[in-house]
């Protein structure tokens, strides 16, 4: 990683981003305390480029430098990502990059992005271009065992009829931060499945932004957030429809325990040209502790009249009737709760790309507690 | 069937747009500490109230106008508004016979007859014209039950202890920009006090009429229901058609003690501006109720059809154990109207319950936002909330936005939110038409059907009025 | 009941219609006189349902040629609600759900619109309740359905019964029942068929659109028409339906091919 001159002061992050850290007065950051990020030692992560030795499956090739900028800019523009603070920070930190072109039915790929136990900021950028009719399955695994921060910006362009199954499985450390911004543009008839599962980070902020450029595409979002201890997990998703007949099916699940904080903000924008959009968003939060807190806020902005847009949100404990049902079959309350909790998480985890099964995501994110 | 024809239907001339020609006493435009003192002295107020106003004014000076709502409007010049206007008549009249007939005629034209012969038999009315209350009916009958229903100016004189005890305790003067402004300059409004154990024998109603073109209206309403008391209260609002905007920044405070209940209904039909968005009322209102007592209950019902801009979130602070908050709302926007409305349900006490039913209808180029907060505090064990927000879109130029915040800190609480979007489908219209029901009536039936859950909450006397108001808005020529 | 001198109620002449840019009806001819029961049969996509919607004035369909005369007047000139008020009734194949609008209110408004057209006094809430309770018997419907929203959450059979209830209230002169038998179990079918038979009389005409014989076992038609590719291919008596039941629709393809070859458009009269 090239050397970057950093101010030794606490505002080194602001210096990298070229903009002050977002504060609580900004609506999008109101509930998000950046303290864990600010506690990271002011230096860039010193390890080797995690993308250096990636072996690409058939149908996937690297893009060259000249193409990258030309492809990245329209995606950033479509999703309005260029001005997002995590993107600016990433760009200011000279990220390691991997840029891939996928054609035809490509084999699956898994990327291990492990910040390890070392200090500093690990900045990474990933560009995926799926050509017309291409299909691809990618699992991105984040990990950390120390007081560091991972910043990943993922840019995806889905060509007409392309299909992407993208999974993010991130099991972190209470001292670590994860900032993951995903900007995805979809051409008509493309299908996106994005499944994210995040747990154990002192601070995590996921910003999936999907733009169906001309509508008529399918977007399926599945997310699971787990917080415990003093952790904070924040998901700010945004889906916009640039044309008619787009579909969105979004499920966001939360398990908040300990003194954990969960934040979910789900924006869905259906402008006038997006007639016959069918969008459904459901936010379900389990609040397991008296000290935990859940903040959830769907944002539906609709101008087209011939659309189906539904959203729902629930915040509660485990369902008493489900617990009772299991207990009435002889299962102890404790055991029943565990079973239900695991089932609750599995609903999202089983939608991760197939490669995830090998690393037992449930154990990774929800370790058996004493 | 094109939706454009449905859109045409929603447009309807405003029926309350006339101006009453009456001599008015106004003070000079602009706001300063002197103006605040002048208003207070004109009303001959006790010191505590002047102090309250001045503190609010100073707080206001330090505050910034909020800009977080999905609203767009030109900068308001607060120095270009008249803060006090009253029809020229000395003192409030003891008898209606002495009230200027022009005023009585105005209210009669609005469907609110005040005279002994014509007034509604089971509704007591406080009529507010520009900045002052001109008449309150049935005061004596209510007094027999110990119920106080009068203008807030009179209450300041006759019941200063109650005013001092409750005013500003639910909406503190520094609560928000518009509440601070109101606290500094409020002119009149209604005061209701229902003593312990009394069920108010009739519906109470305040009717607000803005008449002057350049006057702001800043009324203040305070309703207190003591232990076991109950009351149903309704406010109605209209204004003439001017091509300038008038500012309306009211504050409503409700206090409910143990086992008491207040049902507060609003039928808001301020002038909304024309189809190009010229003129109309800016309606920036703070309404909040505190369920202080155990098993107390507050129910807000609103039918919002007017105003160029509505910024309004009638809220409940549920402190008492087992207290209940309800919010039922219909907001209809058309042309260039903007509404940003919703509620806050703040669950503090154990086993508190709240229900939110919001129905937004957006037509023309209007924008209709539901913005709500359901907050479950750490002590609200067993709290429950259910929210339902439905939007109906008419035409493809109108916006329906939904922003339902939920914040929960109590695992043993259940919060549930549902929202949906619909339109009047061509199939439904055809079905009704094929049974001989005309186009206009078919649309009107579906819109009132959409709003039924809310209309059912209005007091009997006014449910029909609300239905009529909506039908009026839907009347017109079919394209 | 066929009476050659019975008054003409509906006369369809060379009717062509399309939906969007797709021509569906390609020259339909049909005459209904008072007292008659007609059945139109045909496969899916033959144009049966389109015919019913065009007659009722559905805005999605455009008439491109031909005429429809209802009791001497041009039916195609009228709005859907006007057609209903003067006595044309369409029983929908898929009755529409209208959340929030009470069934009772809907029935009352519709009934009064028809009554006003006939110069009869409008019924107030109480008088209407009496009427509706009496007519409920025609379809053996539970009065509880009156309190619900129009068709909302009704089962298939309940929706169809609600259609026949509307017919009983509106007392149409021409009733077109589009696949009224579809999705009904045997009991519901019997109730609906009895209702229809009860309402059919010497002064009105009924047009049953169906592709099964089973409805015609319960209501005996005077005429059976076979529709294919947007025209009426054959017209006969009730035995034509039985023949169809036996032989299926395969002969239709053959006949259509012959038609294409000769550009013949007039229906072939048999029996």
């Amino acid at each position: 990683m090239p050397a970057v001159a950093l101010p030794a002061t606490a505002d080194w992050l602001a210096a990298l981003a070229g903009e002050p850290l977002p504060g609580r007065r900004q609506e999008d950051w109101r509930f998000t305390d950046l303290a864990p990020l600010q506690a990271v030692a002011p230096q860039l992560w010193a390890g080797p480029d995690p993308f250096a030795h990636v072996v690409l499956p058939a149908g996937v090739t690297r893009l060259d430098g000249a193409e990258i900028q030309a492809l990245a800019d329209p995606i950033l523009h479509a999703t309005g990502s260029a001005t997002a603070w995590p993107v600016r920070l990433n760009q200011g930190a000279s990220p390691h990059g991997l840029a891939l072109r996928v054609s035809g039915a490509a084999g699956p790929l898994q990327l291990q992005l492990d910040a390890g136990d070392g200090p500093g900021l690990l900045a990474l950028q990933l560009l995926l271009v799926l050509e017309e009719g291409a299909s691809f399955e990618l699992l991105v695994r984040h990990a950390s065992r120390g007081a560091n921060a991972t910043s990943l910006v993922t840019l995806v362009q889905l060509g007409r009829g392309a299909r992407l199954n993208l999974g993010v499985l991130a099991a972190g450390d209470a001292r670590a931060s994860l900032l993951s911004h995903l900007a995805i543009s979809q051409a008509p008839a493309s299908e996106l499945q994005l499944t994210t599962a995040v747990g154990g980070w002192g601070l995590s902020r996921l910003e999936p932004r999907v733009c169906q450029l001309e509508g008529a595409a399918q977007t399926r979002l599945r997310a699971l957030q787990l917080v415990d201890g003093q952790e904070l997990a924040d998901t700010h998703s945004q889906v916009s429809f640039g044309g008619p007949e787009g579909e969105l099916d979004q499920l966001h699940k939360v398990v908040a325990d300990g003194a954990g904080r969960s934040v979910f903000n789900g924006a869905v924008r259906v402008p006038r040209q997006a007639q016959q959009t069918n969008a459904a968003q459901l936010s379900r939060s389990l609040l397991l502790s008296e000290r935990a807190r859940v903040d959830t806020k769907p944002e539906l902005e609709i101008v087209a009249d011939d659309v189906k847009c539904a959203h729902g949100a629930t915040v509660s404990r485990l369902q008493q009737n489900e617990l009772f049902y299991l207990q009435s079959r002889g299962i102890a309350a404790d055991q029943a709760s565990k079973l239900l909790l695991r089932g609750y998480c599995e609903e999202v985890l089983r939608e991760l790309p197939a490669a995830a099964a090998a690393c037992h995501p449930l154990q990774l994110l929800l370790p058996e507690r004493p | 069937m094109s939706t454009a024809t449905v859109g045409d239907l929603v447009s309807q001339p405003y029926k309350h747009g006339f101006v009453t020609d009456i001599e008015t006493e106004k003070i000079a435009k602009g706001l300063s500490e002197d103006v605040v003192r002048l208003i207070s002295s004109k009303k001959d107020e006790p010191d505590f109230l002047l102090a309250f106003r001045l503190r609010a004014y100073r707080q206001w000076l330090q505050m910034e106008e909020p800009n977080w709502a999905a609203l767009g409007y030109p900068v308001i010049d607060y120095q270009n508004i008249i803060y006090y206007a009253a029809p020229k008549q000395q003192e409030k009249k003891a008898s209606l016979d002495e009230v200027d007939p022009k005023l009585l005629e105005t209210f009669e034209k609005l469907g609110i007859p005040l005279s002994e012969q014509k007034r509604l038999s089971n509704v007591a009315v406080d009529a507010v014209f520009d900045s002052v209350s001109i008449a309150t009916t049935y005061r004596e009958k209510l007094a027999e039950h110990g119920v106080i229903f009068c203008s807030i100016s009179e209450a300041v004189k006759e019941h200063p202890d109650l005013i001092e005890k409750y005013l500003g305790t639910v909406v503190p003067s520094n609560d928000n920009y518009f509440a601070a402004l109101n606290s500094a300059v409020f002119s009149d409004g209604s005061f209701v006090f229902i003593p312990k154990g009394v069920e108010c024998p009739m519906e109470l109603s305040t009717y607000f009429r803005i008449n002057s073109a350049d006057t702001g209206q800043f009324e203040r309403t305070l309703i207190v229901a003591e232990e076991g008391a109950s009351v149903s209260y309704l406010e109605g609002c209209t204004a003439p058609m001017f091509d300038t905007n008038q500012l309306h920044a009211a504050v409503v405070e409700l206090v409910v003690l143990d086992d008491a209940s207040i049902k507060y209904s609003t039928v808001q039909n301020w002038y909304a501006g024309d189809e190009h968005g010229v003129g109309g009322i800016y309606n920036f209102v703070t309404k909040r109720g505190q369920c202080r007592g155990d098993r107390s209950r507050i129910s807000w019902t609103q039918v919002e059809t007017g105003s160029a801009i509505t910024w309004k979130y009638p809220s409940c602070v549920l402190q008492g154990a087992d207290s209940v908050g309800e919010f039922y709302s219909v907001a209809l926007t058309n042309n260039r109207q903007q509404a940003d409305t919703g509620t806050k349900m703040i669950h503090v006490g154990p086993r508190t319950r709240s229900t939110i039913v919001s129905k937004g209808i957006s037509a023309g180029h209007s924008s209709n936002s539901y913005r709500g907060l359901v907050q479950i505090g750490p002590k609200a064990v067993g709290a429950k909330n259910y929210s339902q927000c439905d939007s109906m879109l008419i035409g493809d130029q109108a916006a329906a936005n939904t922003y339902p915040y939920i914040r929960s800190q109590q695992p043993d609480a259940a919060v549930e939110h549902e929202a949906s979007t619909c339109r009047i489908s061509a199939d439904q219209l055809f079905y009704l038409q094929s049974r001989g029901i005309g186009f206009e009536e078919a649309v009107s039936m579906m819109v009132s059907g959409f709003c039924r859950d809310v209309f059912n909450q209005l007091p009997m006397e006014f449910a029909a009025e609300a239905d009529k108001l909506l039908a009026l808005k839907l009347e017109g020529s079919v394209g | 009941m066929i009476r050659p001198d019975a008054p003409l109620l509906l006369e369809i002449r060379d009717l062509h219609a399309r939906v969007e840019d797709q021509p569906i009806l390609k020259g339909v001819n049909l005459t209904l006189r008072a007292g008659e029961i007609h059945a139109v049969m045909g496969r899916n996509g033959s144009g049966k349902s389109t015919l019913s919607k065009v007659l009722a004035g559905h805005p999605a369909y455009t008439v491109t040629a031909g005429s429809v005369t209802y009791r001497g007047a041009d039916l195609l000139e009228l709005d859907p609600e006007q057609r209903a008020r003067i006595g044309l009734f369409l029983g929908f194949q898929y009755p529409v759900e209208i959340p929030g609008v009470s069934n009772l209110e809907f029935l009352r408004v519709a009934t009064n619109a028809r009554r006003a057209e006939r110069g009869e006094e409008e019924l107030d809430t109480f008088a209407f309740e009496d009427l509706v309770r009496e007519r409920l018997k025609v379809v053996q419907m539970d009065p509880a359905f009156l309190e619900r929203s129009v068709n909302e959450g009704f089962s298939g059979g309940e929706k169809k019964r609600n259609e026949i209830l509307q017919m009983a209230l509106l007392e149409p002169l021409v009733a077109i029942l589009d696949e009224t038998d579809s999705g009904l179990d045997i009991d519901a079918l019997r109730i609906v068929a009895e209702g229809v038979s009860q309402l059919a009389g010497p002064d009105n005409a009924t047009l049953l659109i169906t592709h099964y014989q089973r409805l015609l076992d319960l209501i005996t038609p005077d005429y059976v028409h076979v529709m294919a590719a947007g025209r009426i291919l054959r017209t006969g008596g009730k035995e034509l339906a039985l023949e169809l039941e036996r032989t299926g629709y395969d002969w239709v393809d053959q006949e259509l091919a012959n038609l294409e070859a000769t550009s013949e458009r007039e229906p072939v009269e048999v029996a």
Side-chain angles (χ1 to χ4, degrees), chain A residues 31 227 254 256-263 285-297 314-317, chain B residues 345 347 373-385 405-416:
Chain A
F31 304 117
V227 287
V254 171
D257 207 342
R261 300 272 165 100
S262 157
V263 179
S285 305
L286 276 186
L287 191 51
L288 299 180
S289 140
E290 310 260 334
R291 292 171 300 139
R293 195 167 89 189
V294 170
D295 282 294
T296 177
K297 183 187 165 205
T314 59
V315 183
S316 65
R317 268 191 205 285
Chain B
M345 292 291 174
H347 291 254
L373 168 67
V374 174
Q375 185 171 328
I376 312 283
K379 292 184 182 131
V381 179
K384 277 201 173 73
N385 159 269
Y405 283 84
I406 297 173
R407 156 171 285 202
S408 181
Q409 292 176 266
Q410 171 48 251
D412 191 14
V415 182
E416 208 181 321

Side-chain angles (χ1 to χ4, degrees), chain A residues 216-235:
Chain A
Q218 286 181 31
T219 307
R220 183 177 170 88
L221 304 181
R222 290 291 179 270
L224 176 66
Q225 264 186 4
L226 296 117
V227 287
D228 200 346
Q230 300 289 327
E231 297 155 17
L232 185 151
D234 175 352
T235 305

Side-chain angles (χ1 to χ4, degrees), chain B residues 1 427-428 430-439 441 445-446 449-450 452, chain C residues 58-59 81 84-85 89-90 92 97 100-102 106 109-110 113 151 163 166:
Chain B
M1 201 54 64
D427 280 343
Q428 292 173 327
F430 176 67
Y431 188 73
L432 293 177
Q433 284 180 285
S434 75
R435 297 297 178 258
I437 297 167
F439 181 76
E441 187 159 16
M445 273 172 95
M446 278 188 277
F450 177 71
R452 189 199 287 181
Chain C
H58 194 289
E81 60 266 36
R85 289 173 194 170
F89 178 87
L90 170 63
F92 282 55
E97 298 193 6
V101 174
S102 114
F106 157 68
V109 173
N151 294 325
E163 293 292 287
Q166 290 165 41

Side-chain angles (χ1 to χ4, degrees), chain A residues 142-164:
Chain A
H142 291 279
S144 168
R145 278 163 284 115
N148 48 38
T150 302
S151 157
L152 172 66
V153 170
T154 308
L155 306 178
V156 180
Q157 180 194 312
L158 293 185
R160 188 172 279 275
R163 283 166 38 198
L164 174 65

